[in-house]
Amino acid sequence: MLDKDPPESVSEATTHRLSLLLRSLRILDGEGVGTVSSQQLAERFGLNAAQIRKDLAQFGEFGIRGVGYRVPDLKEKLKWVLGLDRPRTVVVLGAGHLGQALADSKNFNSEGFKVVALFDNDRRKIGGRSRTDLPIRDIAELPVVARAESVEIGVLAIPAEAVPSAAVVLRNAGVRAILNFAPITLAPVPGLEVKNVDLTLFLENLSFRLAATGDRPRPKRG
Amino acid sequence: MLDKDPPESVSEATTHRLSLLLRSLRILDGEGVGTVSSQQLAERFGLNAAQIRKDLAQFGEFGIRGVGYRVPDLKEKLKWVLGLDRPRTVVVLGAGHLGQALADSKNFNSEGFKVVALFDNDRRKIGGRSRTDLPIRDIAELPVVARAESVEIGVLAIPAEAVPSAAVVLRNAGVRAILNFAPITLAPVPGLEVKNVDLTLFLENLSFRLAATGDRPRPKRG
DNA sequence: TGCTGTGAAACCGTTCACAGCT
DNA sequence: AGCTGTGAACGGTTTCACAGCA
């Protein structure tokens, strides 16, 4: 599938751009476009032509010199590179507002991802169902469900203090990756891929930029 | 307030780490810790001592040589650097599951952030209230509300195709920053700070890492 | 003595520019 | 002729190591 062994390490920036590229290719494919050059991709989707080529070069040679890329081919190759050529099963821990919204969301239930269960430890929530009818189960059942459904990814929408132990429970249940939305940095766990997504930090980043672009009394140099 | 003019441009990586640092200081302050060294911060919170010092150095000198940092002092200084020394008013566009979850969430209603309204264009939702009793208003009212409440940040939890026009509406209403959760990259808009947060991409990133760490038939070098 | 603040070195990712293939 | 794939130049960030101050 690949003409080249992937490098030891691929940067986050690259995988991020490859995801954006895949999205662009899906759009072009939907429009029936057969061939596209890196230049055209760059112009239409706000990317950088040289960077597209460099990113792809880490995994092989996918284009035709003098022509460009065959859209359907490159799309399939990229899906393979990103591990999206087969479905991935997801569970959500924490049936609060955010957990339920994520479990029900299209983002987490399309293009090969599927949320199969929602867990909580609150008696009042257990036994209920989300708005898309996903059952809310007791977190004690997680190991059984995770094995039965071959769950690969666990999404954490629980309080910060519950995160470290939840990570251990997930790993022991055979889950191999965690997407953590709680406001705590989950340290790397051997055998687990961890991604921390801290919603507060996005707002704080905007706050910083607002402050830096003139909404505060300019400091006088001391 | 600052002993140094901030540099022309501060990297995203730096502001991200400063937010994490502020969170760490809040914890220490809550424990009554008076002084801390960059080394201690690094060990306890999984940071890097040299990097803490370098990040802070962009804004001034905050420590005491031979001693470390006074926790309450540095906390306040950092809040100022990040623009968190005054409250910021937020509106959420899109009263779907995600929009409501965000509008109600603690992340968006603490440490100086406050969601004051939820907007939608769906007649069936308008007039209703979120679970924390936030009114769902007609998006046509946004300009009036935004001015009246001095809204600074708009959060987008709407379909991708509605994003560009929503950005324009927000800017025209005096809103200065946008946090976009829709699966589309909102291009920079003059006069607007934009941050795109694409939830799908986080899952795809984990998928890539799972694929790269051995869940697929190792390609044979051609 | 001990820790901050900071030049200098090392590292990494991006951009450039063109050789090479179709 | 045209566009990919890529070595080389560039720029920015991280790490190192120590001078300087409390």
Side-chain angles (χ1 to χ4, degrees):
Chain A
M1 179 50 113
L2 294 188
D3 0 348
K4 186 182 280 195
D5 283 334
E8 207 45 49
S9 145
V10 177
S11 79
E12 202 103 335
T14 292
T15 63
H16 183 93
R17 287 190 300 260
L18 289 179
S19 279
L20 295 176
L21 182 57
L22 174 57
R23 175 179 297 158
S24 304
L25 290 166
R26 286 193 171 114
I27 292 170
L28 292 175
D29 198 36
E31 293 173 358
V33 176
T35 302
V36 71
S37 72
S38 58
Q39 183 59 43
Q40 291 170 321
L41 281 164
E43 278 168 16
R44 168 140 180 210
F45 298 101
L47 311 173
N48 174 306
Q51 210 161 44
I52 290 170
R53 300 201 298 274
K54 263 281 198 263
D55 285 341
L56 292 175
Q58 296 185 49
F59 301 94
E61 307 196 357
F62 303 110
I64 306 158
R65 291 173 197 229
V67 177
Y69 302 88
R70 301 255 336 128
V71 172
D73 286 6
L74 185 55
K75 191 185 78 169
E76 291 308 312
K77 293 270 178 56
L78 264 187
K79 281 171 71 169
W80 196 88
V81 165
L82 292 170
L84 300 172
D85 54 331
R86 63 187 191 70
R88 304 241 177 226
T89 302
V90 178
V91 291
V92 174
L93 272 62
H97 298 173
L98 182 63
Q100 292 203 34
L102 294 174
D104 289 345
S105 86
K106 205 148 193 195
N107 286 319
F108 284 31
N109 289 281
S110 61
E111 303 301 351
F113 295 103
K114 180 134 197 284
V115 178
V116 295
L118 189 49
F119 292 93
D120 209 298
N121 59 7
D122 182 341
R123 281 286 163 79
R124 291 165 300 179
K125 287 178 184 158
I126 294 167
R129 292 192 172 252
S130 77
R131 297 192 245 201
T132 60
D133 219 36
L134 205 63
I136 299 171
R137 313 184 65 156
D138 189 323
I139 203 153
E141 298 174 37
L142 191 143
V144 173
V145 176
R147 303 250 177 226
E149 304 260 13
S150 300
V151 171
E152 293 185 292
I153 301 176
V155 174
L156 301 186
I158 58 183
E161 58 275 16
V163 165
S165 62
V168 172
V169 169
L170 283 164
R171 198 205 36 194
N172 290 344
V175 175
R176 294 171 51 220
I178 288 182
L179 186 56
N180 172 36
F181 284 91
I184 180 179
T185 303
L186 174 57
V189 180
L192 266 184
E193 300 297 327
V194 172
K195 177 115 191 136
N196 293 292
V197 177
D198 195 322
L199 298 179
T200 303
L201 266 41
F202 299 128
L203 276 187
E204 292 193 2
N205 178 270
L206 287 176
S207 170
F208 171 81
R209 291 201 238 161
L210 288 174
T213 57
D215 77 1
R216 75 172 140 220
R218 269 276 139 216
K220 282 285 165 231
R221 191 72 180 77
Chain B
M1 179 48 113
L2 293 189
D3 356 347
K4 185 182 281 196
D5 283 334
E8 206 45 48
S9 147
V10 177
S11 77
E12 201 102 335
T14 293
T15 63
H16 183 93
R17 287 190 299 259
L18 289 178
S19 279
L20 294 177
L21 182 56
L22 174 56
R23 173 179 299 157
S24 304
L25 289 166
R26 285 194 172 114
I27 292 170
L28 292 175
D29 198 36
E31 293 173 357
V33 175
T35 301
V36 70
S37 72
S38 57
Q39 183 61 42
Q40 292 170 319
L41 281 164
E43 277 167 17
R44 167 142 180 207
F45 298 101
L47 311 174
N48 174 306
Q51 209 161 45
I52 290 170
R53 301 200 299 275
K54 264 282 199 265
D55 285 341
L56 292 174
Q58 295 184 51
F59 301 93
E61 307 196 358
F62 303 108
I64 306 155
R65 290 172 197 230
V67 178
Y69 302 90
R70 301 256 334 128
V71 172
D73 287 5
L74 185 55
K75 189 184 79 167
E76 290 309 311
K77 295 269 177 56
L78 264 188
K79 282 171 71 168
W80 194 88
V81 165
L82 291 170
L84 300 173
D85 53 332
R86 62 187 191 70
R88 305 240 177 225
T89 302
V90 178
V91 291
V92 174
L93 272 62
H97 298 171
L98 182 62
Q100 292 203 34
L102 293 174
D104 289 345
S105 86
K106 206 151 193 189
N107 286 318
F108 284 32
N109 290 282
S110 62
E111 302 300 353
F113 296 104
K114 179 135 196 287
V115 178
V116 295
L118 236 183
F119 292 94
D120 208 300
N121 60 7
D122 182 340
R123 280 286 164 77
R124 289 165 299 180
K125 288 178 183 159
I126 293 166
R129 291 190 172 256
S130 77
R131 296 190 248 202
T132 59
D133 219 37
L134 205 64
I136 299 171
R137 313 184 65 156
D138 190 323
I139 202 153
E141 297 174 37
L142 190 144
V144 174
V145 176
R147 304 247 178 232
E149 304 261 13
S150 300
V151 171
E152 294 185 291
I153 301 176
V155 174
L156 302 186
I158 59 183
E161 59 275 16
V163 166
S165 62
V168 172
V169 169
L170 283 164
R171 198 206 33 195
N172 290 345
V175 175
R176 295 171 52 222
I178 289 183
L179 185 57
N180 172 37
F181 283 91
I184 181 179
T185 303
L186 175 57
V189 180
L192 266 184
E193 300 296 326
V194 173
K195 178 117 189 132
N196 293 291
V197 177
D198 195 322
L199 298 179
T200 303
L201 265 43
F202 298 129
L203 275 188
E204 294 194 2
N205 178 271
L206 286 177
S207 170
F208 170 81
R209 290 201 240 161
L210 287 176
T213 56
D215 77 1
R216 76 171 138 219
R218 269 276 139 215
K220 282 284 164 235
R221 191 71 180 78

